[in-house]
Amino acid sequence: MNANASSQKTTEPHKHLELDQGALDAASRSLDEGAVTPSYGPWRDDVVKLLNDALATELVCVLRYKRHYFTANGVESPAIAEEFLVHANEESAHADRIAERIVQLGGEPDFAPTHLLERSHAGYDESTDLQAMVRANLVAERIAVEAYRQMIVLIGDKDPTTRRMLEDILSDEEEHADELKDWLGH
C-alpha cells in the first residue's frame, strides 16, 4: 500500500451505526397501519400488486395440480398423481403465505375466481395424457421460478420480509420443477 492510500484511509471520519430516531418515533404513530411503518416507502401498492399476481398464480397452480391429481391414469399414474397432490398442497401453502403478507402490508388479497386467470403468470391445463400433464406443470413451475426471481430483484431491499418469503417460495418452485423434470419420459 502506498503512503497516499494509507493516509486517505485514516483521514476518513468514522461513521457510527445508529438507528434513525425520527423513524422510530414515527413508528409509534398511525397504529392502524400494523406492520407498515411510515419509513416503508412508496412501494407498498406495487408490492401488493406483485403479490396479488403471485397469489393468482399459486391458486391457478393449485387448481391445475388438483385436476391432474384426480384425472391422472396409466401405469405411472399413482406415483405421479401423488406428486401432483403434494405440489397442490405446497402451492396452497404458498398462497396462504402470500395472502397473509398482503394483509400485513395493508392490502386486500384478491381471491376472486374471475380475476385468477387474467392475473396468473401460469395457465390452467385440462390435459388427459399423463406426460402432457407433467409437461404443463413443468412449464408452469418454470414460469413461476422466473416470475419469483424477477419479483425478488424488483423488491430488492425495499421490503426485506417480502423478499425473504419470495426466496423461500422460489426454492420450493425450483424443487417442484426438478421433480417434474425427473418424471418426463417415464
Side-chain angles (χ1 to χ4, degrees):
M1 202 193 276
N2 66 34
N4 207 9
S6 174
S7 67
Q8 284 178 339
K9 224 178 184 183
T10 56
T11 59
E12 205 174 284
H14 176 73
K15 295 186 180 182
H16 297 280
L17 296 177
E18 294 178 4
L19 297 180
D20 178 347
Q21 188 59 47
L24 293 175
D25 293 342
S28 68
R29 297 183 292 278
S30 303
L31 300 182
D32 59 329
E33 293 291 317
V36 181
T37 62
S39 67
Y40 185 86
W43 305 105
R44 178 171 58 173
D45 291 344
D46 292 338
V47 171
V48 167
K49 186 202 177 306
L50 288 172
L51 291 176
N52 260 316
D53 291 351
L55 176 62
T57 303
E58 294 293 347
L59 294 171
V60 168
C61 288
V62 169
L63 297 172
R64 187 187 57 255
Y65 274 125
K66 285 281 193 161
R67 167 157 172 98
H68 290 171
Y69 167 72
F70 286 110
T71 61
N73 56 52
V75 175
E76 298 280 338
S77 69
I80 293 176
E82 195 58 40
E83 195 68 34
F84 289 162
L85 182 59
V86 167
H87 288 197
N89 292 335
E90 290 175 352
E91 305 295 4
S92 182
H94 296 163
D96 290 350
R97 289 181 70 190
I98 292 167
E100 181 179 22
R101 184 64 184 151
I102 290 168
V103 170
Q104 285 175 341
L105 293 174
E108 296 281 331
D110 187 350
F111 284 90
T114 55
H115 299 164
L116 293 183
L117 277 177
E118 66 190 43
R119 288 189 357 262
S120 175
H121 301 294
Y124 185 71
D125 179 75
E126 295 181 348
S127 297
T128 54
D129 172 72
L130 195 58
Q131 281 300 299
M133 290 177 185
V134 172
R135 244 186 322 281
N137 286 310
L138 179 54
V139 166
E141 292 293 355
R142 289 173 53 85
I143 289 169
V145 163
E146 181 58 27
Y148 282 119
R149 281 192 183 139
Q150 288 184 30
M151 283 187 273
I152 289 163
V153 169
L154 286 170
I155 290 171
D157 62 358
K158 295 170 189 71
D159 181 346
T161 301
T162 298
R163 186 191 67 241
R164 281 192 308 274
M165 177 192 70
L166 295 175
E167 289 168 345
D168 286 347
I169 293 172
L170 170 61
S171 177
D172 289 346
E173 303 297 7
E174 289 173 336
E175 186 178 305
H176 292 173
D178 282 344
E179 290 165 356
L180 289 164
K181 176 190 59 89
D182 292 344
W183 286 108
L184 272 181
H186 277 244

PDB file of all heavy atoms in Angstrom, residues 35 40 47 51 97 101 104-105 155-168:
ATOM      1  N   ALA A  35     -47.960  -3.504  10.584  1.00  0.00           N
ATOM      2  CA  ALA A  35     -46.511  -3.671  10.390  1.00  0.00           C
ATOM      3  C   ALA A  35     -45.904  -2.631   9.461  1.00  0.00           C
ATOM      4  O   ALA A  35     -44.686  -2.510   9.374  1.00  0.00           O
ATOM      5  CB  ALA A  35     -46.237  -5.067   9.825  1.00  0.00           C
ATOM      6  N   TYR A  40     -41.651   2.789   5.407  1.00  0.00           N
ATOM      7  CA  TYR A  40     -41.747   1.682   4.445  1.00  0.00           C
ATOM      8  C   TYR A  40     -41.445   2.164   3.039  1.00  0.00           C
ATOM      9  O   TYR A  40     -40.842   1.469   2.242  1.00  0.00           O
ATOM     10  CB  TYR A  40     -43.135   1.022   4.506  1.00  0.00           C
ATOM     11  CG  TYR A  40     -43.234  -0.190   3.610  1.00  0.00           C
ATOM     12  CD1 TYR A  40     -42.833  -1.436   4.073  1.00  0.00           C
ATOM     13  CD2 TYR A  40     -43.678  -0.085   2.293  1.00  0.00           C
ATOM     14  CE1 TYR A  40     -42.893  -2.549   3.242  1.00  0.00           C
ATOM     15  CE2 TYR A  40     -43.734  -1.193   1.466  1.00  0.00           C
ATOM     16  CZ  TYR A  40     -43.340  -2.414   1.950  1.00  0.00           C
ATOM     17  OH  TYR A  40     -43.382  -3.509   1.131  1.00  0.00           O
ATOM     18  N   VAL A  47     -45.829  -3.501  -4.438  1.00  0.00           N
ATOM     19  CA  VAL A  47     -45.541  -4.808  -3.846  1.00  0.00           C
ATOM     20  C   VAL A  47     -46.837  -5.600  -3.692  1.00  0.00           C
ATOM     21  O   VAL A  47     -46.886  -6.795  -4.012  1.00  0.00           O
ATOM     22  CB  VAL A  47     -44.788  -4.660  -2.502  1.00  0.00           C
ATOM     23  CG1 VAL A  47     -44.687  -5.994  -1.771  1.00  0.00           C
ATOM     24  CG2 VAL A  47     -43.393  -4.072  -2.732  1.00  0.00           C
ATOM     25  N   LEU A  51     -47.705  -9.162  -5.359  1.00  0.00           N
ATOM     26  CA  LEU A  51     -48.116 -10.282  -4.518  1.00  0.00           C
ATOM     27  C   LEU A  51     -49.492 -10.813  -4.925  1.00  0.00           C
ATOM     28  O   LEU A  51     -49.719 -12.029  -4.899  1.00  0.00           O
ATOM     29  CB  LEU A  51     -48.109  -9.883  -3.042  1.00  0.00           C
ATOM     30  CG  LEU A  51     -46.721  -9.647  -2.440  1.00  0.00           C
ATOM     31  CD1 LEU A  51     -46.842  -9.164  -0.993  1.00  0.00           C
ATOM     32  CD2 LEU A  51     -45.860 -10.888  -2.521  1.00  0.00           C
ATOM     33  N   ARG A  97     -49.426 -17.916   2.542  1.00  0.00           N
ATOM     34  CA  ARG A  97     -48.352 -17.008   2.995  1.00  0.00           C
ATOM     35  C   ARG A  97     -48.432 -15.675   2.272  1.00  0.00           C
ATOM     36  O   ARG A  97     -48.248 -14.612   2.872  1.00  0.00           O
ATOM     37  CB  ARG A  97     -46.976 -17.640   2.754  1.00  0.00           C
ATOM     38  CG  ARG A  97     -46.659 -18.799   3.673  1.00  0.00           C
ATOM     39  CD  ARG A  97     -45.273 -19.360   3.411  1.00  0.00           C
ATOM     40  NE  ARG A  97     -44.237 -18.413   3.842  1.00  0.00           N
ATOM     41  CZ  ARG A  97     -42.951 -18.562   3.568  1.00  0.00           C
ATOM     42  NH1 ARG A  97     -42.536 -19.604   2.866  1.00  0.00           N
ATOM     43  NH2 ARG A  97     -42.075 -17.682   3.992  1.00  0.00           N
ATOM     44  N   ARG A 101     -49.229 -11.937   3.831  1.00  0.00           N
ATOM     45  CA  ARG A 101     -48.319 -10.798   3.671  1.00  0.00           C
ATOM     46  C   ARG A 101     -49.049  -9.607   3.060  1.00  0.00           C
ATOM     47  O   ARG A 101     -48.801  -8.460   3.451  1.00  0.00           O
ATOM     48  CB  ARG A 101     -47.112 -11.205   2.806  1.00  0.00           C
ATOM     49  CG  ARG A 101     -46.076 -10.112   2.681  1.00  0.00           C
ATOM     50  CD  ARG A 101     -45.451  -9.774   4.021  1.00  0.00           C
ATOM     51  NE  ARG A 101     -44.523  -8.653   3.892  1.00  0.00           N
ATOM     52  CZ  ARG A 101     -44.249  -7.797   4.866  1.00  0.00           C
ATOM     53  NH1 ARG A 101     -44.781  -7.954   6.064  1.00  0.00           N
ATOM     54  NH2 ARG A 101     -43.411  -6.807   4.672  1.00  0.00           N
ATOM     55  N   GLN A 104     -50.773  -7.959   5.839  1.00  0.00           N
ATOM     56  CA  GLN A 104     -49.810  -7.253   6.694  1.00  0.00           C
ATOM     57  C   GLN A 104     -49.410  -5.919   6.084  1.00  0.00           C
ATOM     58  O   GLN A 104     -49.137  -4.962   6.802  1.00  0.00           O
ATOM     59  CB  GLN A 104     -48.554  -8.099   6.909  1.00  0.00           C
ATOM     60  CG  GLN A 104     -48.736  -9.243   7.862  1.00  0.00           C
ATOM     61  CD  GLN A 104     -47.487 -10.112   7.950  1.00  0.00           C
ATOM     62  OE1 GLN A 104     -46.616 -10.086   7.075  1.00  0.00           O
ATOM     63  NE2 GLN A 104     -47.403 -10.908   9.011  1.00  0.00           N
ATOM     64  N   LEU A 105     -49.375  -5.866   4.757  1.00  0.00           N
ATOM     65  CA  LEU A 105     -48.997  -4.631   4.066  1.00  0.00           C
ATOM     66  C   LEU A 105     -50.179  -3.677   3.895  1.00  0.00           C
ATOM     67  O   LEU A 105     -50.046  -2.639   3.254  1.00  0.00           O
ATOM     68  CB  LEU A 105     -48.381  -4.961   2.695  1.00  0.00           C
ATOM     69  CG  LEU A 105     -47.036  -5.680   2.740  1.00  0.00           C
ATOM     70  CD1 LEU A 105     -46.586  -6.092   1.345  1.00  0.00           C
ATOM     71  CD2 LEU A 105     -45.979  -4.805   3.415  1.00  0.00           C
ATOM     72  N   ILE A 155     -38.058  -6.132  -5.847  1.00  0.00           N
ATOM     73  CA  ILE A 155     -38.287  -5.727  -4.462  1.00  0.00           C
ATOM     74  C   ILE A 155     -36.971  -5.396  -3.769  1.00  0.00           C
ATOM     75  O   ILE A 155     -36.887  -4.437  -3.011  1.00  0.00           O
ATOM     76  CB  ILE A 155     -39.083  -6.811  -3.702  1.00  0.00           C
ATOM     77  CG1 ILE A 155     -40.526  -6.824  -4.242  1.00  0.00           C
ATOM     78  CG2 ILE A 155     -39.063  -6.566  -2.204  1.00  0.00           C
ATOM     79  CD1 ILE A 155     -41.373  -7.967  -3.760  1.00  0.00           C
ATOM     80  N   GLY A 156     -35.919  -6.165  -4.079  1.00  0.00           N
ATOM     81  CA  GLY A 156     -34.597  -5.878  -3.521  1.00  0.00           C
ATOM     82  C   GLY A 156     -34.645  -5.593  -2.041  1.00  0.00           C
ATOM     83  O   GLY A 156     -35.180  -6.383  -1.262  1.00  0.00           O
ATOM     84  N   ASP A 157     -34.126  -4.417  -1.643  1.00  0.00           N
ATOM     85  CA  ASP A 157     -34.115  -4.068  -0.217  1.00  0.00           C
ATOM     86  C   ASP A 157     -35.295  -3.178   0.162  1.00  0.00           C
ATOM     87  O   ASP A 157     -35.334  -2.656   1.268  1.00  0.00           O
ATOM     88  CB  ASP A 157     -32.779  -3.415   0.156  1.00  0.00           C
ATOM     89  CG  ASP A 157     -32.529  -2.117  -0.597  1.00  0.00           C
ATOM     90  OD1 ASP A 157     -33.370  -1.732  -1.449  1.00  0.00           O
ATOM     91  OD2 ASP A 157     -31.493  -1.483  -0.338  1.00  0.00           O
ATOM     92  N   LYS A 158     -36.259  -3.020  -0.740  1.00  0.00           N
ATOM     93  CA  LYS A 158     -37.431  -2.184  -0.442  1.00  0.00           C
ATOM     94  C   LYS A 158     -38.324  -2.834   0.612  1.00  0.00           C
ATOM     95  O   LYS A 158     -39.024  -2.143   1.345  1.00  0.00           O
ATOM     96  CB  LYS A 158     -38.240  -1.914  -1.709  1.00  0.00           C
ATOM     97  CG  LYS A 158     -37.500  -1.093  -2.756  1.00  0.00           C
ATOM     98  CD  LYS A 158     -38.282  -1.078  -4.067  1.00  0.00           C
ATOM     99  CE  LYS A 158     -37.488  -0.476  -5.189  1.00  0.00           C
ATOM    100  NZ  LYS A 158     -36.377  -1.326  -5.631  1.00  0.00           N
ATOM    101  N   ASP A 159     -38.325  -4.167   0.672  1.00  0.00           N
ATOM    102  CA  ASP A 159     -39.167  -4.898   1.621  1.00  0.00           C
ATOM    103  C   ASP A 159     -38.497  -6.242   1.906  1.00  0.00           C
ATOM    104  O   ASP A 159     -38.803  -7.255   1.282  1.00  0.00           O
ATOM    105  CB  ASP A 159     -40.566  -5.094   1.030  1.00  0.00           C
ATOM    106  CG  ASP A 159     -41.517  -5.816   1.957  1.00  0.00           C
ATOM    107  OD1 ASP A 159     -41.069  -6.409   2.965  1.00  0.00           O
ATOM    108  OD2 ASP A 159     -42.726  -5.824   1.675  1.00  0.00           O
ATOM    109  N   PRO A 160     -37.564  -6.269   2.866  1.00  0.00           N
ATOM    110  CA  PRO A 160     -36.812  -7.497   3.142  1.00  0.00           C
ATOM    111  C   PRO A 160     -37.696  -8.676   3.567  1.00  0.00           C
ATOM    112  O   PRO A 160     -37.393  -9.812   3.238  1.00  0.00           O
ATOM    113  CB  PRO A 160     -35.853  -7.102   4.271  1.00  0.00           C
ATOM    114  CG  PRO A 160     -35.808  -5.612   4.254  1.00  0.00           C
ATOM    115  CD  PRO A 160     -37.100  -5.133   3.669  1.00  0.00           C
ATOM    116  N   THR A 161     -38.767  -8.416   4.288  1.00  0.00           N
ATOM    117  CA  THR A 161     -39.639  -9.506   4.742  1.00  0.00           C
ATOM    118  C   THR A 161     -40.302 -10.189   3.563  1.00  0.00           C
ATOM    119  O   THR A 161     -40.317 -11.420   3.465  1.00  0.00           O
ATOM    120  CB  THR A 161     -40.709  -8.964   5.718  1.00  0.00           C
ATOM    121  OG1 THR A 161     -40.032  -8.356   6.823  1.00  0.00           O
ATOM    122  CG2 THR A 161     -41.615 -10.070   6.217  1.00  0.00           C
ATOM    123  N   THR A 162     -40.846  -9.400   2.644  1.00  0.00           N
ATOM    124  CA  THR A 162     -41.475  -9.965   1.454  1.00  0.00           C
ATOM    125  C   THR A 162     -40.432 -10.674   0.596  1.00  0.00           C
ATOM    126  O   THR A 162     -40.677 -11.768   0.086  1.00  0.00           O
ATOM    127  CB  THR A 162     -42.196  -8.873   0.640  1.00  0.00           C
ATOM    128  OG1 THR A 162     -43.236  -8.315   1.458  1.00  0.00           O
ATOM    129  CG2 THR A 162     -42.792  -9.419  -0.637  1.00  0.00           C
ATOM    130  N   ARG A 163     -39.263 -10.068   0.458  1.00  0.00           N
ATOM    131  CA  ARG A 163     -38.208 -10.691  -0.351  1.00  0.00           C
ATOM    132  C   ARG A 163     -37.839 -12.064   0.198  1.00  0.00           C
ATOM    133  O   ARG A 163     -37.721 -13.034  -0.552  1.00  0.00           O
ATOM    134  CB  ARG A 163     -36.968  -9.794  -0.414  1.00  0.00           C
ATOM    135  CG  ARG A 163     -35.903 -10.341  -1.383  1.00  0.00           C
ATOM    136  CD  ARG A 163     -34.564  -9.639  -1.282  1.00  0.00           C
ATOM    137  NE  ARG A 163     -33.955  -9.913   0.000  1.00  0.00           N
ATOM    138  CZ  ARG A 163     -33.642  -8.984   0.910  1.00  0.00           C
ATOM    139  NH1 ARG A 163     -33.857  -7.717   0.674  1.00  0.00           N
ATOM    140  NH2 ARG A 163     -33.094  -9.327   2.051  1.00  0.00           N
ATOM    141  N   ARG A 164     -37.674 -12.173   1.520  1.00  0.00           N
ATOM    142  CA  ARG A 164     -37.318 -13.476   2.123  1.00  0.00           C
ATOM    143  C   ARG A 164     -38.417 -14.502   1.891  1.00  0.00           C
ATOM    144  O   ARG A 164     -38.133 -15.672   1.602  1.00  0.00           O
ATOM    145  CB  ARG A 164     -37.039 -13.314   3.617  1.00  0.00           C
ATOM    146  CG  ARG A 164     -35.660 -12.753   3.914  1.00  0.00           C
ATOM    147  CD  ARG A 164     -35.309 -12.869   5.387  1.00  0.00           C
ATOM    148  NE  ARG A 164     -36.323 -12.322   6.267  1.00  0.00           N
ATOM    149  CZ  ARG A 164     -36.409 -11.042   6.641  1.00  0.00           C
ATOM    150  NH1 ARG A 164     -35.528 -10.169   6.190  1.00  0.00           N
ATOM    151  NH2 ARG A 164     -37.367 -10.652   7.465  1.00  0.00           N
ATOM    152  N   MET A 165     -39.680 -14.093   2.005  1.00  0.00           N
ATOM    153  CA  MET A 165     -40.790 -15.012   1.763  1.00  0.00           C
ATOM    154  C   MET A 165     -40.745 -15.499   0.313  1.00  0.00           C
ATOM    155  O   MET A 165     -40.878 -16.695   0.047  1.00  0.00           O
ATOM    156  CB  MET A 165     -42.128 -14.320   2.028  1.00  0.00           C
ATOM    157  CG  MET A 165     -43.328 -15.202   1.726  1.00  0.00           C
ATOM    158  SD  MET A 165     -44.892 -14.283   1.703  1.00  0.00           S
ATOM    159  CE  MET A 165     -44.696 -13.313   0.201  1.00  0.00           C
ATOM    160  N   LEU A 166     -40.518 -14.581  -0.615  1.00  0.00           N
ATOM    161  CA  LEU A 166     -40.461 -14.952  -2.030  1.00  0.00           C
ATOM    162  C   LEU A 166     -39.270 -15.865  -2.309  1.00  0.00           C
ATOM    163  O   LEU A 166     -39.361 -16.788  -3.127  1.00  0.00           O
ATOM    164  CB  LEU A 166     -40.407 -13.702  -2.913  1.00  0.00           C
ATOM    165  CG  LEU A 166     -41.658 -12.818  -2.870  1.00  0.00           C
ATOM    166  CD1 LEU A 166     -41.428 -11.547  -3.682  1.00  0.00           C
ATOM    167  CD2 LEU A 166     -42.892 -13.562  -3.358  1.00  0.00           C
ATOM    168  N   GLU A 167     -38.152 -15.634  -1.635  1.00  0.00           N
ATOM    169  CA  GLU A 167     -36.986 -16.509  -1.803  1.00  0.00           C
ATOM    170  C   GLU A 167     -37.304 -17.922  -1.323  1.00  0.00           C
ATOM    171  O   GLU A 167     -36.906 -18.900  -1.973  1.00  0.00           O
ATOM    172  CB  GLU A 167     -35.774 -15.932  -1.058  1.00  0.00           C
ATOM    173  CG  GLU A 167     -35.209 -14.692  -1.717  1.00  0.00           C
ATOM    174  CD  GLU A 167     -34.198 -13.947  -0.866  1.00  0.00           C
ATOM    175  OE1 GLU A 167     -34.100 -14.196   0.356  1.00  0.00           O
ATOM    176  OE2 GLU A 167     -33.497 -13.073  -1.429  1.00  0.00           O
ATOM    177  N   ASP A 168     -38.029 -18.040  -0.209  1.00  0.00           N
ATOM    178  CA  ASP A 168     -38.439 -19.366   0.284  1.00  0.00           C
ATOM    179  C   ASP A 168     -39.338 -20.062  -0.728  1.00  0.00           C
ATOM    180  O   ASP A 168     -39.168 -21.254  -1.015  1.00  0.00           O
ATOM    181  CB  ASP A 168     -39.211 -19.244   1.605  1.00  0.00           C
ATOM    182  CG  ASP A 168     -38.330 -18.908   2.789  1.00  0.00           C
ATOM    183  OD1 ASP A 168     -37.096 -18.997   2.662  1.00  0.00           O
ATOM    184  OD2 ASP A 168     -38.891 -18.546   3.837  1.00  0.00           O
TER     185      ASP A 168
END
